[in-house]
Amino acid sequence: MKDDKTRIWYGGDYNPDQWPEEVWADDIRLMTRAGVNMVSVGIFSWARIEPSEGVFDFGWLDRVIDMLGSAGIAVDLATATASPPMWLTQAHPEVLWKDYRGDTCWPGARQHWRPTSRVFLRYALDLCRAMAEHYKDNDYIVSWHVNNEYGCHNRFDYSDDAMYAFQRWCERRYSTIGALNDAWGTSFWSQGLNDFSQIIPPRFIGDGNFINPGLLLDFKRFSSDALKEFYKAERDVLAEITPGRPLTTNFMVSASGTGLDYDDWADEVDFVSNDHYFTPGSGHLDELAYSSSLVDGISRKQPWFLMEHSTGAVNWRPINYRKQPGQLVRDSLAHLAMGADAICYFQWRQSRAGAEKFHTSMVPHAGENSQDFRDVCELGADLQRLSDEGLTGTRLVKSRVAVVFDWQSEWASEHTATPTQQVRHWTEPLDWFTALADNGITPDVVPLREHWESYEAVVLPSVYLLSAQDSRRVRDYVSGGGRLFVTYYTGISDENDHVWLGGYPGSISDVVGVRSEEFAPMGSDFDGVMDHLRLTNGTVAHDLADWITSVSETTRILAAYEADPWTGMNGVPAITVNDFGRGRAAYVGCRLGREGLAASLPSMLDAMGLDMSAQGASADVLHVERCDESDQRHFDFYFNRGHGIATVQPLGDVVVASLARMRAPGGPVSIDPNGVVVVKRP
Ligand code: GAL
């Protein structure tokens, strides 16, 4: 296969085994017409490739790979290990995973295997070996697609295999049972353990009961690691037989679906790839941009693959909304803007049968004479133009502002015995991303482990867990001149979920200059309880506020609560700014939501001494830039975020316009809702 480094990969999951071979030629014809240059093959084909134990049938796969390759379409070949065949699970029911009540997950769908089963691992590695041996010299295959979306359905397994593996994992992490007892706080409720063999996964404990938070948090860590070990075993077999062929596995980064610790996983792949499915409604573009930015953060600004998204409706929500006109092209270009160098879909041709027959695809049930296929062709042409103009090799330009996301804080905040079940980590970073965009600023989303200290301004949004080391990083960042925004529910506990004492946020209260003694949750589940709090700056808080009882001498109060005196919240500081060392820290002591944050941001930015006007965009436009290291090639992407017509003044040539028009050469460009323009600077 000609390795043309300037192309943008374009294609999707291709499941030829669902169709008679006569259809394949038509597939290739349509792929060529759409500009498709890469497809992922074999993801769920185990039963077809190995119809009975040790008997392999590569004939059909050879034929289709050959047809694709001869037409110039590269193959991202799956290991096919995601969905075990019936002969395997019939012979070895002990590979099926169990839920927390001990019920078996039976075959009938996919991913019905337990990550810690040695038996299953052996079969999976045998298949990887057979695939790698058979295809090691096939030049049409440009990468390995290892397994598929690890943990999508089998993230938590409570079987005995899992239990023994969890015991070993705990032993590696803590060395002594004393250290584990300490970390899990087992002196509470008589939970002390005498040795590692007494550890059991967080199985059924009775409805309405509360599991040990340390145990639960470690089980989530273990489950991410167990799947990662499985991935590494598959990867290592492939890498040994086909050294040099790049490997990836598709992650599932999206704002609400935290799943595995993908920042940790990212160290183990040759290139990061992600599957992203849109959030219907008003959060569509912002959530997409947020998630893509986080993917860019975990791939450390190296180009990454968008391995799956949808041309339109999915089939797995209770109501599967269609995309609006323009969104098919716009969504893909938004992922591209945020750093993707490949745009792929689930899937190429819409299935006639099976559980995903109502999931939209590049070639829909309606066939090639359809709006979706026309859009797919338009997108193919856009991507070709962008690659001709030199987009490949450019990177998402680093923002001045970073919003931090932390998997561990999300996992810990999911516990059911917290101040309020309405508050978890993940909503706050997304609200900040959106509120910053409302102020014309497109921030980067970066994992806590990343060097967020290199940004001029950083947001720590409900980062519930802060270890002593991370607290030190926070302190050093601000004292060294950084501008830090911190919210409620940040720095509450250390990495073992032991609360920092002395008033919240215990480990960094000197940095933010506030001390809160109690949480003030809000709700409407009882008559007469507080369900919101008004702030003196006109915004409104919901769900949670801190009862801030003192501020340091260097702290200025930007907004306080206006409440009835008897609530105890009247006049309590809500938003503050503190001078600390050479830097400043703003504290937002309540949940303001996107609107409240957006409205509060101008005065906060001002108080922090941050002038962001040069960021350029307005609330109705999302502006994203990509450029190469020497800034020879610089692209501006402008997306209409609103429902009216947005206008931008391009700083160069418009190379792609979707639902957008230039009024006169060199003049402003009008962008319709769901529209986008890409401009190349001279
Ligand atoms: C992904 C999966 C695909 C397909 C898709 C549908 O989770 O990897 O195989 O099921 O979702 O949205």
Side-chain angles (χ1 to χ4, degrees):
M1 188 110 259
K2 193 166 123 274
D3 193 16
D4 173 8
K5 297 256 189 263
T6 63
R7 47 85 193 96
I8 297 168
W9 292 120
Y10 181 45
D13 288 7
Y14 180 38
N15 296 302
D17 38 336
Q18 292 179 11
W19 296 93
E21 293 202 17
E22 302 86 82
V23 178
W24 298 357
D26 198 48
D27 285 330
I28 309 273
R29 176 182 69 83
L30 292 176
M31 285 178 192
T32 309
R33 203 169 122 197
V36 163
N37 55 18
M38 199 210 69
V39 288
S40 297
V41 180
I43 297 173
F44 297 107
S45 304
W46 193 340
R48 189 73 188 270
I49 294 170
E50 191 181 5
S52 56
E53 183 166 352
V55 177
F56 292 95
D57 173 9
F58 288 114
W60 68 277
L61 194 52
D62 292 349
R63 283 196 294 285
V64 80
I65 291 176
D66 198 50
M67 282 173 76
L68 290 161
S70 314
I73 300 162
V75 172
D76 168 55
L77 186 62
T79 57
T81 46
S83 193
M86 209 53 160
W87 58 258
L88 194 167
T89 50
Q90 187 181 38
H92 294 288
E94 74 274 21
V95 308
L96 302 170
W97 62 267
K98 286 188 189 288
D99 78 356
Y100 74 117
R101 285 179 184 259
D103 284 343
T104 299
C105 169
W106 293 102
R110 60 178 169 183
Q111 263 189 13
H112 39 283
W113 51 273
R114 55 177 83 160
T116 54
S117 164
R118 307 302 300 174
V119 176
F120 185 68
L121 181 67
R122 181 165 53 78
Y123 279 100
L125 296 189
D126 285 350
L127 179 59
C128 289
R129 211 166 287 117
M131 295 285 281
E133 287 293 352
H134 189 84
Y135 290 109
K136 64 175 182 244
D137 298 320
N138 191 318
D139 288 341
Y140 295 146
I141 298 163
V142 293
S143 57
W144 284 114
H145 181 112
V146 185
N147 209 290
N148 191 66
E149 289 190 345
Y150 284 97
C152 179
H153 308 286
N154 61 351
R155 178 176 164 209
F156 296 124
D157 167 36
Y158 301 79
S159 67
D160 284 351
D161 279 336
M163 178 172 73
Y164 298 130
F166 185 39
Q167 291 169 356
R168 289 194 298 275
W169 182 93
C170 288
E171 201 164 351
R172 281 196 299 278
R173 182 174 173 91
Y174 294 107
S175 301
T176 68
I177 198 68
L180 177 138
N181 278 316
D182 193 34
W184 289 7
T186 56
S187 41
F188 185 82
W189 282 353
S190 189
Q191 292 170 346
L193 301 168
N194 295 338
D195 62 70
F196 288 98
S197 71
Q198 293 179 335
I199 293 170
I200 45 179
R203 290 174 175 161
F204 181 63
I205 48 166
D207 291 323
N209 210 338
F210 299 97
I211 198 83
N212 178 309
L215 159 66
L216 189 60
L217 180 56
D218 271 344
F219 188 66
K220 290 177 182 175
R221 291 174 174 142
F222 155 76
S223 299
S224 183
D225 284 354
L227 283 157
K228 192 176 70 183
E229 289 311 308
F230 197 97
Y231 157 74
K232 282 164 66 181
E234 289 195 62
R235 177 198 66 185
D236 293 348
V237 164
L238 301 167
E240 198 188 319
I241 302 169
T242 59
R245 184 179 290 167
L247 286 122
T248 193
T249 185
N250 41 348
F251 297 167
M252 295 177 284
V253 175
S254 65
S256 59
T258 46
L260 310 174
D261 185 344
Y262 291 120
D263 188 39
D264 174 43
W265 277 66
D267 296 340
E268 306 295 345
V269 293
D270 290 330
F271 59 96
V272 166
S273 60
N274 195 49
D275 297 351
H276 182 271
Y277 288 94
F278 74 101
T279 301
S282 55
H284 187 145
L285 176 64
D286 291 326
E287 190 279 336
L288 185 158
Y290 166 92
S291 300
S292 280
S293 180
L294 179 54
V295 178
D296 198 70
I298 64 176
S299 63
R300 306 290 187 263
K301 298 225 167 287
Q302 291 307 306
W304 49 275
F305 254 61
L306 179 69
M307 192 60 93
E308 288 181 24
H309 67 322
S310 67
T311 52
V314 298
N315 70 309
W316 40 260
R317 288 199 167 94
I319 302 174
N320 294 298
Y321 296 97
R322 65 190 291 258
K323 284 192 180 178
Q324 294 162 7
Q327 289 183 341
L328 183 154
V329 171
R330 188 277 313 268
D331 285 3
S332 295
L333 293 179
H335 287 291
L336 199 76
M338 304 308 279
D341 268 7
I343 296 296
C344 299
Y345 286 100
F346 174 84
Q347 62 175 332
W348 165 250
R349 189 183 277 279
Q350 187 165 8
S351 305
R352 285 192 71 193
E356 296 189 315
K357 61 183 180 297
F358 289 120
H359 195 293
T360 54
S361 302
M362 298 171 85
V363 182
H365 286 156
E368 64 187 288
N369 181 16
S370 60
Q371 188 58 46
D372 272 2
F373 188 67
R374 281 189 286 278
D375 286 354
V376 161
C377 292
E378 180 194 325
L379 176 62
D382 289 344
L383 296 177
Q384 184 60 54
R385 203 165 315 122
L386 287 166
S387 89
D388 292 345
E389 294 291 343
L391 183 77
T392 327
T394 62
R395 307 269 188 280
L396 174 61
V397 170
K398 185 176 172 181
S399 174
R400 292 169 61 192
V401 186
V403 174
V404 171
F405 178 82
D406 179 37
W407 273 266
Q408 313 270 324
S409 288
E410 171 54 24
W411 292 346
S413 67
E414 287 162 356
H415 198 273
T416 50
T418 54
T420 166
Q421 292 291 288
Q422 301 304 108
V423 166
R424 282 168 45 180
H425 166 61
W426 74 265
T427 55
E428 200 62 27
L430 178 60
D431 281 347
W432 275 84
F433 182 91
T434 311
L436 284 160
D438 289 341
N439 280 273
I441 301 161
T442 309
D444 285 352
V445 186
V446 298
L448 184 63
R449 211 161 55 105
E450 162 70 281
H451 300 297
W452 47 262
E453 292 98 324
S454 64
Y455 287 82
E456 184 182 344
V458 173
V459 185
L460 284 187
S462 298
V463 181
Y464 169 79
L465 296 183
L466 276 185
S467 64
Q469 191 197 344
D470 284 327
S471 307
R472 212 170 309 119
R473 289 172 70 193
V474 168
R475 188 165 288 106
D476 291 348
Y477 171 71
V478 183
S479 64
R483 299 284 191 267
L484 184 74
F485 296 84
V486 179
T487 78
Y488 70 95
Y489 223 49
T490 296
I492 303 299
S493 288
D494 69 10
E495 71 277 21
N496 295 322
D497 202 357
H498 290 206
V499 172
W500 290 107
L501 300 179
Y504 314 119
S507 70
I508 54 164
S509 64
D510 56 332
V511 181
V512 293
V514 304
R515 180 172 176 271
S516 157
E517 291 181 35
E518 234 179 272
F519 300 106
M522 291 166 267
S524 53
D525 49 348
F526 289 93
D527 235 11
V529 291
M530 189 165 70
D531 74 344
H532 70 275
L533 272 170
R534 272 185 198 293
L535 275 68
T536 49
N537 70 359
T539 61
V540 182
H542 289 100
D543 297 321
L544 190 63
D546 289 329
W547 186 43
I548 293 174
T549 48
S550 61
V551 300
S552 72
E553 277 174 9
T554 47
T555 301
R556 272 175 297 150
I557 296 170
L558 299 187
Y561 302 110
E562 292 176 324
D564 288 323
W566 39 265
T567 61
M569 294 303 286
N570 191 39
V572 168
I575 304 178
T576 59
V577 173
N578 185 39
D579 292 327
F580 186 78
R582 289 191 283 125
R584 262 179 212 168
Y587 190 78
V588 181
C590 56
R591 185 175 193 182
L592 289 176
R594 170 224 175 141
E595 274 163 36
L597 285 173
S600 304
L601 260 167
S603 62
M604 276 197 274
L605 290 168
D606 192 42
M608 293 283 268
L610 285 167
D611 178 7
M612 292 280 162
S613 49
Q615 293 280 287
S618 57
D620 56 353
V621 172
L622 183 74
H623 177 208
V624 184
E625 294 166 69
R626 280 182 67 153
C627 75
D628 63 0
E629 271 166 17
S630 53
D631 206 12
Q632 294 294 304
R633 290 170 289 152
H634 195 120
F635 294 84
D636 292 286
F637 290 72
Y638 298 98
F639 299 91
N640 186 337
R641 291 176 77 221
H643 294 149
I645 292 177
T647 305
V648 296
Q649 177 58 55
L651 300 172
D653 299 332
V654 173
V655 284
V656 168
S658 173
L659 296 182
R661 289 160 310 279
M662 201 182 297
R663 290 176 200 158
V669 177
S670 307
I671 314 174
D672 292 344
N674 301 320
V676 47
V677 285
V678 188
V679 175
K680 186 179 182 189
R681 292 194 197 173

